[in-house]
Amino acid sequence: MAGGGASGSGRLHDGFVPGRYPIDTYGGGGFRFADMSHRGSILVLPSGVRAWDVTDPAGITPESLAPLLAEAGDANLLLLGTGSEIVFVPDSLRRHLKQAGIGLDVMQTGAAARTYNILMAENRKVAAALIAVP
């Protein structure tokens, strides 16, 4: 994926893999999904998985979440994985997402990936923004 070095099968288009996939593994600075590995953070959207240039919670902004906001009608919950620790998210960001009709649940990246897999398997309208962990 863009800036990340993906390998394996699948189609990559400018750091984007179309389709819904469970997160197979996380850690080591990246993720495995769709028989590929990606180094760096990811946005897991209803339309597919995209490279996300956020490396720490300070980079989580309405601008960095713009791809999610563009799909707001298809996702009504964002699972935000803030890395190894749970980090406070500003109320302004919560309000911005709420205005778009998207709920927010903040947790460690591992918990967010596992929760995403469960909710996706239940065919829920869920997205995940996952900061890579070492």
Side-chain angles (χ1 to χ4, degrees):
M1 296 184 80
S7 62
S9 63
R11 301 203 38 125
L12 298 176
H13 301 285
D14 297 323
F16 180 73
V17 180
R20 291 186 65 168
Y21 302 98
I23 306 302
D24 297 322
T25 60
Y26 62 90
F31 300 88
R32 281 196 58 77
F33 56 90
D35 294 326
M36 292 179 276
S37 62
H38 169 71
R39 194 147 190 68
S41 302
I42 57 175
L43 277 176
V44 187
L45 306 173
S47 63
V49 182
R50 116 177 10 257
W52 194 37
D53 63 1
V54 173
T55 57
D56 65 67
I60 303 168
T61 64
E63 293 76 23
S64 72
L65 293 173
L68 166 68
L69 295 168
E71 296 184 35
D74 295 324
N76 58 20
L77 175 63
L78 173 63
L79 301 171
L80 181 56
T82 57
S84 300
E85 301 294 326
I86 299 171
V87 176
F88 172 78
V89 175
D91 287 337
S92 59
L93 181 61
R94 286 184 184 277
R95 282 192 304 274
H96 192 79
L97 290 169
K98 186 176 182 177
Q99 288 172 347
I102 301 171
L104 177 64
D105 200 351
V106 181
M107 56 192 78
Q108 294 172 320
T109 292
R114 292 186 300 271
T115 303
Y116 172 80
N117 287 346
I118 292 166
L119 296 178
M120 186 203 73
E122 294 174 352
N123 208 26
R124 302 268 302 274
K125 295 171 75 173
V126 64
L130 305 172
I131 295 177
V133 294

